[in-house]
Amino acid sequence: MTLCCARFRRTHPEDKIKNAKIIFVVGGPGSGKGTQCEKVVEKYGYTHLSSGDLLRAEVASGSERGKQLQAIMQKGELVPLDTVLDMIKDAMIAKADVSKGFLIDGYPREVQQGEEFEKKIGAPSLLLYINAKPETMVKRLMKRGETSGRADDNEETIKKRLDLYYKATEPVIAFYESRGIVRKIDSELAVDDVFKQVCQAIDNLK
Ligand SMILES: Nc1ncnc2c1ncn2[C@@H]1O[C@H](COP(=O)(O)OP(=O)(O)O)[C@@H](O)[C@H]1O
Ligand SMILES: Nc1ncnc2c1ncn2[C@H]1C[C@H](O)[C@@H](COP(=O)(O)OP(=O)(O)O)O1
Ligand SMILES: [Mg+2]
C-alpha cells in the first residue's frame, strides 16, 4: 500500500510528454502557418496545436478569462506567457498517448516563451520558419478577414500584429538558428509548393 502510493506520487502528467517530438512553427501573421500545419497533419499524422486556436476556444467558452484574452487579442497584443504555455502543455498531455509528434503553431512569439517552454516541456527538434513579405501577409489577412470572423483580422490590428512580429518574434528565429534547427520556408509560393519545402525539412529529421 505504502509503496503503491509512493509510486503514484512520483508519476507526473508532464512525464508523458518528456520525450515528445516537437516542431515549432514560426512566422508572421498570415504567413501560412495554419495552412501548412493542416497539410502536415494529413500527411504525417502529427498533432497540430495552434496557440491562437487554443486562445480563441477559451474566448468562445465565454469564461471570465476568455473575456480578458479577447480584449488583448483584439488589440493585436500578446497574452500573458503563463496562460498560453499552460494551455499548450495541457493540450499536449491530453494528446500524448496518441501523438506521433507535435506541431506548435504560433509559439514561441518571443524568446522568453521559447526558454520557458524548454524548462517546462522540452526542446524542439525543428523550427519551421514560414516566411512571406509583409505586403503578402497583409493582403492574405485582409482576404481572410472577409470570412474569418476574427476580431484581429482588420487593417488596424493587422498593422500592430506585424510590428510586434518583427520586434518580438523574429528574434526567436535568430535564437534557434545558433542551434542549427531552423529551416526557412519560402511562403510566397502556391500552397503545394510551400508544402514541398516543409516536407523536405520534416523528412530530413528522420
Ligand atoms: N501559400 C499561400 N498562397 C496563398 N494564400 C495562402 C497561402 N498560405 C496561406 N494562404 C492564405 O492566407 C491566409 C492566412 O493563412 P493562415 O494559414 O491562416 O496563416 P497564419 O496561421 O500564419 O496566420 C489564409 O486565408 C490562407 O488561405
Ligand atoms: N504564443 C502566444 N503568446 C501570446 N499571445 C499569443 C500567442 N499565440 C497567440 N496569441 C494571441 C495574440 C495573437 O495576436 C492572437 C492570434 O494568434 P494566431 O491565431 O496565432 O495568429 P496568426 O495565425 O494569424 O499568426 O492570439
Ligand atoms: Mg494561424
Side-chain angles (χ1 to χ4, degrees), residues 92-115:
M92 287 179 76
I93 291 168
K95 290 279 164 65
D97 293 334
V98 293
S99 185
K100 291 187 186 163
F102 292 94
L103 291 166
I104 308 296
D105 161 6
Y107 188 106
R109 264 187 159 76
E110 55 185 357
V111 170
Q112 197 195 351
Q113 288 194 357
E115 291 171 333

PDB file of all heavy atoms in Angstrom, residues 92-115:
ATOM      1  N   MET A  92      -1.040  19.193 -24.900  1.00  0.00           N
ATOM      2  CA  MET A  92      -0.051  18.157 -25.257  1.00  0.00           C
ATOM      3  C   MET A  92      -0.244  16.910 -24.399  1.00  0.00           C
ATOM      4  O   MET A  92      -0.220  15.793 -24.911  1.00  0.00           O
ATOM      5  CB  MET A  92       1.381  18.690 -25.073  1.00  0.00           C
ATOM      6  CG  MET A  92       1.798  19.694 -26.143  1.00  0.00           C
ATOM      7  SD  MET A  92       3.477  20.337 -25.886  1.00  0.00           S
ATOM      8  CE  MET A  92       4.481  18.943 -26.421  1.00  0.00           C
ATOM      9  N   ILE A  93      -0.455  17.128 -23.117  1.00  0.00           N
ATOM     10  CA  ILE A  93      -0.634  15.981 -22.216  1.00  0.00           C
ATOM     11  C   ILE A  93      -1.882  15.185 -22.620  1.00  0.00           C
ATOM     12  O   ILE A  93      -1.875  13.961 -22.652  1.00  0.00           O
ATOM     13  CB  ILE A  93      -0.710  16.456 -20.746  1.00  0.00           C
ATOM     14  CG1 ILE A  93       0.668  16.968 -20.311  1.00  0.00           C
ATOM     15  CG2 ILE A  93      -1.192  15.348 -19.819  1.00  0.00           C
ATOM     16  CD1 ILE A  93       0.678  17.728 -18.987  1.00  0.00           C
ATOM     17  N   ALA A  94      -2.927  15.916 -22.994  1.00  0.00           N
ATOM     18  CA  ALA A  94      -4.184  15.258 -23.376  1.00  0.00           C
ATOM     19  C   ALA A  94      -4.009  14.382 -24.618  1.00  0.00           C
ATOM     20  O   ALA A  94      -4.710  13.388 -24.788  1.00  0.00           O
ATOM     21  CB  ALA A  94      -5.265  16.311 -23.617  1.00  0.00           C
ATOM     22  N   LYS A  95      -3.059  14.753 -25.473  1.00  0.00           N
ATOM     23  CA  LYS A  95      -2.874  14.017 -26.737  1.00  0.00           C
ATOM     24  C   LYS A  95      -1.654  13.084 -26.711  1.00  0.00           C
ATOM     25  O   LYS A  95      -1.369  12.397 -27.698  1.00  0.00           O
ATOM     26  CB  LYS A  95      -2.685  15.013 -27.897  1.00  0.00           C
ATOM     27  CG  LYS A  95      -3.924  15.791 -28.276  1.00  0.00           C
ATOM     28  CD  LYS A  95      -4.818  14.928 -29.165  1.00  0.00           C
ATOM     29  CE  LYS A  95      -6.234  15.443 -29.293  1.00  0.00           C
ATOM     30  NZ  LYS A  95      -6.345  16.718 -29.952  1.00  0.00           N
ATOM     31  N   ALA A  96      -0.944  13.076 -25.595  1.00  0.00           N
ATOM     32  CA  ALA A  96       0.362  12.398 -25.546  1.00  0.00           C
ATOM     33  C   ALA A  96       0.305  10.935 -25.975  1.00  0.00           C
ATOM     34  O   ALA A  96       1.180  10.460 -26.692  1.00  0.00           O
ATOM     35  CB  ALA A  96       0.943  12.509 -24.146  1.00  0.00           C
ATOM     36  N   ASP A  97      -0.735  10.235 -25.575  1.00  0.00           N
ATOM     37  CA  ASP A  97      -0.779   8.789 -25.836  1.00  0.00           C
ATOM     38  C   ASP A  97      -0.983   8.447 -27.302  1.00  0.00           C
ATOM     39  O   ASP A  97      -0.642   7.356 -27.732  1.00  0.00           O
ATOM     40  CB  ASP A  97      -1.905   8.152 -25.002  1.00  0.00           C
ATOM     41  CG  ASP A  97      -1.570   8.221 -23.522  1.00  0.00           C
ATOM     42  OD1 ASP A  97      -0.366   8.273 -23.203  1.00  0.00           O
ATOM     43  OD2 ASP A  97      -2.509   8.245 -22.704  1.00  0.00           O
ATOM     44  N   VAL A  98      -1.550   9.371 -28.061  1.00  0.00           N
ATOM     45  CA  VAL A  98      -1.861   9.047 -29.458  1.00  0.00           C
ATOM     46  C   VAL A  98      -1.027   9.862 -30.449  1.00  0.00           C
ATOM     47  O   VAL A  98      -1.190   9.711 -31.653  1.00  0.00           O
ATOM     48  CB  VAL A  98      -3.365   9.287 -29.762  1.00  0.00           C
ATOM     49  CG1 VAL A  98      -4.232   8.297 -29.008  1.00  0.00           C
ATOM     50  CG2 VAL A  98      -3.785  10.712 -29.434  1.00  0.00           C
ATOM     51  N   SER A  99      -0.128  10.693 -29.949  1.00  0.00           N
ATOM     52  CA  SER A  99       0.549  11.613 -30.854  1.00  0.00           C
ATOM     53  C   SER A  99       1.909  11.101 -31.335  1.00  0.00           C
ATOM     54  O   SER A  99       2.693  10.566 -30.557  1.00  0.00           O
ATOM     55  CB  SER A  99       0.743  12.966 -30.162  1.00  0.00           C
ATOM     56  OG  SER A  99       1.291  13.866 -31.076  1.00  0.00           O
ATOM     57  N   LYS A 100       2.160  11.300 -32.634  1.00  0.00           N
ATOM     58  CA  LYS A 100       3.468  10.940 -33.191  1.00  0.00           C
ATOM     59  C   LYS A 100       4.459  12.080 -33.022  1.00  0.00           C
ATOM     60  O   LYS A 100       5.650  11.937 -33.248  1.00  0.00           O
ATOM     61  CB  LYS A 100       3.329  10.688 -34.693  1.00  0.00           C
ATOM     62  CG  LYS A 100       2.545   9.462 -35.036  1.00  0.00           C
ATOM     63  CD  LYS A 100       2.618   9.240 -36.529  1.00  0.00           C
ATOM     64  CE  LYS A 100       1.716   8.104 -36.947  1.00  0.00           C
ATOM     65  NZ  LYS A 100       1.455   8.119 -38.389  1.00  0.00           N
ATOM     66  N   GLY A 101       3.927  13.259 -32.754  1.00  0.00           N
ATOM     67  CA  GLY A 101       4.763  14.446 -32.621  1.00  0.00           C
ATOM     68  C   GLY A 101       3.850  15.655 -32.594  1.00  0.00           C
ATOM     69  O   GLY A 101       2.664  15.543 -32.924  1.00  0.00           O
ATOM     70  N   PHE A 102       4.395  16.777 -32.195  1.00  0.00           N
ATOM     71  CA  PHE A 102       3.576  17.975 -32.025  1.00  0.00           C
ATOM     72  C   PHE A 102       4.059  19.120 -32.900  1.00  0.00           C
ATOM     73  O   PHE A 102       5.251  19.435 -32.926  1.00  0.00           O
ATOM     74  CB  PHE A 102       3.605  18.427 -30.563  1.00  0.00           C
ATOM     75  CG  PHE A 102       2.911  17.485 -29.632  1.00  0.00           C
ATOM     76  CD1 PHE A 102       3.616  16.498 -28.954  1.00  0.00           C
ATOM     77  CD2 PHE A 102       1.531  17.574 -29.435  1.00  0.00           C
ATOM     78  CE1 PHE A 102       2.969  15.618 -28.092  1.00  0.00           C
ATOM     79  CE2 PHE A 102       0.878  16.705 -28.574  1.00  0.00           C
ATOM     80  CZ  PHE A 102       1.600  15.715 -27.904  1.00  0.00           C
ATOM     81  N   LEU A 103       3.117  19.739 -33.591  1.00  0.00           N
ATOM     82  CA  LEU A 103       3.385  20.982 -34.320  1.00  0.00           C
ATOM     83  C   LEU A 103       2.887  22.095 -33.438  1.00  0.00           C
ATOM     84  O   LEU A 103       1.674  22.228 -33.192  1.00  0.00           O
ATOM     85  CB  LEU A 103       2.551  21.028 -35.609  1.00  0.00           C
ATOM     86  CG  LEU A 103       2.902  20.058 -36.711  1.00  0.00           C
ATOM     87  CD1 LEU A 103       1.768  20.020 -37.716  1.00  0.00           C
ATOM     88  CD2 LEU A 103       4.200  20.491 -37.378  1.00  0.00           C
ATOM     89  N   ILE A 104       3.791  22.906 -32.946  1.00  0.00           N
ATOM     90  CA  ILE A 104       3.409  24.002 -32.066  1.00  0.00           C
ATOM     91  C   ILE A 104       3.391  25.271 -32.913  1.00  0.00           C
ATOM     92  O   ILE A 104       4.433  25.811 -33.271  1.00  0.00           O
ATOM     93  CB  ILE A 104       4.390  24.123 -30.876  1.00  0.00           C
ATOM     94  CG1 ILE A 104       4.552  22.769 -30.159  1.00  0.00           C
ATOM     95  CG2 ILE A 104       3.931  25.207 -29.910  1.00  0.00           C
ATOM     96  CD1 ILE A 104       3.297  22.237 -29.498  1.00  0.00           C
ATOM     97  N   ASP A 105       2.184  25.721 -33.255  1.00  0.00           N
ATOM     98  CA  ASP A 105       1.968  26.788 -34.237  1.00  0.00           C
ATOM     99  C   ASP A 105       1.652  28.106 -33.531  1.00  0.00           C
ATOM    100  O   ASP A 105       0.697  28.196 -32.758  1.00  0.00           O
ATOM    101  CB  ASP A 105       0.802  26.325 -35.147  1.00  0.00           C
ATOM    102  CG  ASP A 105       0.112  27.435 -35.925  1.00  0.00           C
ATOM    103  OD1 ASP A 105       0.561  28.595 -35.904  1.00  0.00           O
ATOM    104  OD2 ASP A 105      -0.914  27.123 -36.553  1.00  0.00           O
ATOM    105  N   GLY A 106       2.480  29.118 -33.795  1.00  0.00           N
ATOM    106  CA  GLY A 106       2.227  30.432 -33.193  1.00  0.00           C
ATOM    107  C   GLY A 106       2.929  30.618 -31.858  1.00  0.00           C
ATOM    108  O   GLY A 106       2.662  31.588 -31.145  1.00  0.00           O
ATOM    109  N   TYR A 107       3.794  29.705 -31.513  1.00  0.00           N
ATOM    110  CA  TYR A 107       4.550  29.735 -30.258  1.00  0.00           C
ATOM    111  C   TYR A 107       5.915  29.137 -30.537  1.00  0.00           C
ATOM    112  O   TYR A 107       5.964  28.113 -31.216  1.00  0.00           O
ATOM    113  CB  TYR A 107       3.819  28.909 -29.200  1.00  0.00           C
ATOM    114  CG  TYR A 107       4.413  29.039 -27.811  1.00  0.00           C
ATOM    115  CD1 TYR A 107       3.772  29.777 -26.826  1.00  0.00           C
ATOM    116  CD2 TYR A 107       5.629  28.422 -27.499  1.00  0.00           C
ATOM    117  CE1 TYR A 107       4.330  29.893 -25.563  1.00  0.00           C
ATOM    118  CE2 TYR A 107       6.186  28.554 -26.246  1.00  0.00           C
ATOM    119  CZ  TYR A 107       5.532  29.278 -25.271  1.00  0.00           C
ATOM    120  OH  TYR A 107       6.079  29.403 -24.021  1.00  0.00           O
ATOM    121  N   PRO A 108       7.005  29.733 -30.062  1.00  0.00           N
ATOM    122  CA  PRO A 108       7.131  30.932 -29.239  1.00  0.00           C
ATOM    123  C   PRO A 108       6.996  32.212 -30.067  1.00  0.00           C
ATOM    124  O   PRO A 108       7.451  32.302 -31.187  1.00  0.00           O
ATOM    125  CB  PRO A 108       8.543  30.839 -28.675  1.00  0.00           C
ATOM    126  CG  PRO A 108       9.261  29.776 -29.415  1.00  0.00           C
ATOM    127  CD  PRO A 108       8.307  29.062 -30.288  1.00  0.00           C
ATOM    128  N   ARG A 109       6.407  33.211 -29.451  1.00  0.00           N
ATOM    129  CA  ARG A 109       6.258  34.523 -30.082  1.00  0.00           C
ATOM    130  C   ARG A 109       7.275  35.506 -29.550  1.00  0.00           C
ATOM    131  O   ARG A 109       7.365  36.631 -30.011  1.00  0.00           O
ATOM    132  CB  ARG A 109       4.857  35.050 -29.828  1.00  0.00           C
ATOM    133  CG  ARG A 109       3.930  34.745 -31.016  1.00  0.00           C
ATOM    134  CD  ARG A 109       2.628  35.427 -30.790  1.00  0.00           C
ATOM    135  NE  ARG A 109       1.832  35.644 -31.951  1.00  0.00           N
ATOM    136  CZ  ARG A 109       1.122  34.740 -32.598  1.00  0.00           C
ATOM    137  NH1 ARG A 109       1.201  33.481 -32.264  1.00  0.00           N
ATOM    138  NH2 ARG A 109       0.346  35.080 -33.608  1.00  0.00           N
ATOM    139  N   GLU A 110       8.027  35.112 -28.568  1.00  0.00           N
ATOM    140  CA  GLU A 110       9.142  35.924 -28.059  1.00  0.00           C
ATOM    141  C   GLU A 110      10.134  34.949 -27.433  1.00  0.00           C
ATOM    142  O   GLU A 110       9.748  33.819 -27.062  1.00  0.00           O
ATOM    143  CB  GLU A 110       8.644  36.964 -27.044  1.00  0.00           C
ATOM    144  CG  GLU A 110       7.861  36.350 -25.916  1.00  0.00           C
ATOM    145  CD  GLU A 110       7.245  37.366 -24.966  1.00  0.00           C
ATOM    146  OE1 GLU A 110       7.476  38.568 -25.142  1.00  0.00           O
ATOM    147  OE2 GLU A 110       6.559  36.927 -24.037  1.00  0.00           O
ATOM    148  N   VAL A 111      11.391  35.366 -27.349  1.00  0.00           N
ATOM    149  CA  VAL A 111      12.437  34.442 -26.910  1.00  0.00           C
ATOM    150  C   VAL A 111      12.116  33.826 -25.551  1.00  0.00           C
ATOM    151  O   VAL A 111      12.291  32.620 -25.334  1.00  0.00           O
ATOM    152  CB  VAL A 111      13.822  35.151 -26.891  1.00  0.00           C
ATOM    153  CG1 VAL A 111      14.872  34.281 -26.215  1.00  0.00           C
ATOM    154  CG2 VAL A 111      14.256  35.497 -28.322  1.00  0.00           C
ATOM    155  N   GLN A 112      11.588  34.632 -24.658  1.00  0.00           N
ATOM    156  CA  GLN A 112      11.289  34.111 -23.315  1.00  0.00           C
ATOM    157  C   GLN A 112      10.282  32.954 -23.356  1.00  0.00           C
ATOM    158  O   GLN A 112      10.352  32.020 -22.558  1.00  0.00           O
ATOM    159  CB  GLN A 112      10.754  35.245 -22.421  1.00  0.00           C
ATOM    160  CG  GLN A 112      10.822  34.881 -20.947  1.00  0.00           C
ATOM    161  CD  GLN A 112       9.972  35.809 -20.076  1.00  0.00           C
ATOM    162  OE1 GLN A 112       9.469  36.830 -20.552  1.00  0.00           O
ATOM    163  NE2 GLN A 112       9.811  35.454 -18.825  1.00  0.00           N
ATOM    164  N   GLN A 113       9.358  33.007 -24.307  1.00  0.00           N
ATOM    165  CA  GLN A 113       8.387  31.903 -24.431  1.00  0.00           C
ATOM    166  C   GLN A 113       9.101  30.599 -24.797  1.00  0.00           C
ATOM    167  O   GLN A 113       8.735  29.526 -24.338  1.00  0.00           O
ATOM    168  CB  GLN A 113       7.339  32.228 -25.492  1.00  0.00           C
ATOM    169  CG  GLN A 113       6.350  33.300 -25.071  1.00  0.00           C
ATOM    170  CD  GLN A 113       5.131  33.379 -25.978  1.00  0.00           C
ATOM    171  OE1 GLN A 113       5.027  32.672 -26.976  1.00  0.00           O
ATOM    172  NE2 GLN A 113       4.194  34.246 -25.633  1.00  0.00           N
ATOM    173  N   GLY A 114      10.119  30.713 -25.636  1.00  0.00           N
ATOM    174  CA  GLY A 114      10.886  29.524 -26.009  1.00  0.00           C
ATOM    175  C   GLY A 114      11.636  28.964 -24.810  1.00  0.00           C
ATOM    176  O   GLY A 114      11.645  27.757 -24.567  1.00  0.00           O
ATOM    177  N   GLU A 115      12.236  29.855 -24.049  1.00  0.00           N
ATOM    178  CA  GLU A 115      13.006  29.417 -22.876  1.00  0.00           C
ATOM    179  C   GLU A 115      12.107  28.724 -21.850  1.00  0.00           C
ATOM    180  O   GLU A 115      12.449  27.670 -21.312  1.00  0.00           O
ATOM    181  CB  GLU A 115      13.702  30.633 -22.241  1.00  0.00           C
ATOM    182  CG  GLU A 115      14.814  31.185 -23.130  1.00  0.00           C
ATOM    183  CD  GLU A 115      15.390  32.517 -22.635  1.00  0.00           C
ATOM    184  OE1 GLU A 115      14.669  33.283 -21.946  1.00  0.00           O
ATOM    185  OE2 GLU A 115      16.547  32.805 -22.965  1.00  0.00           O
TER     186      GLU A 115
END
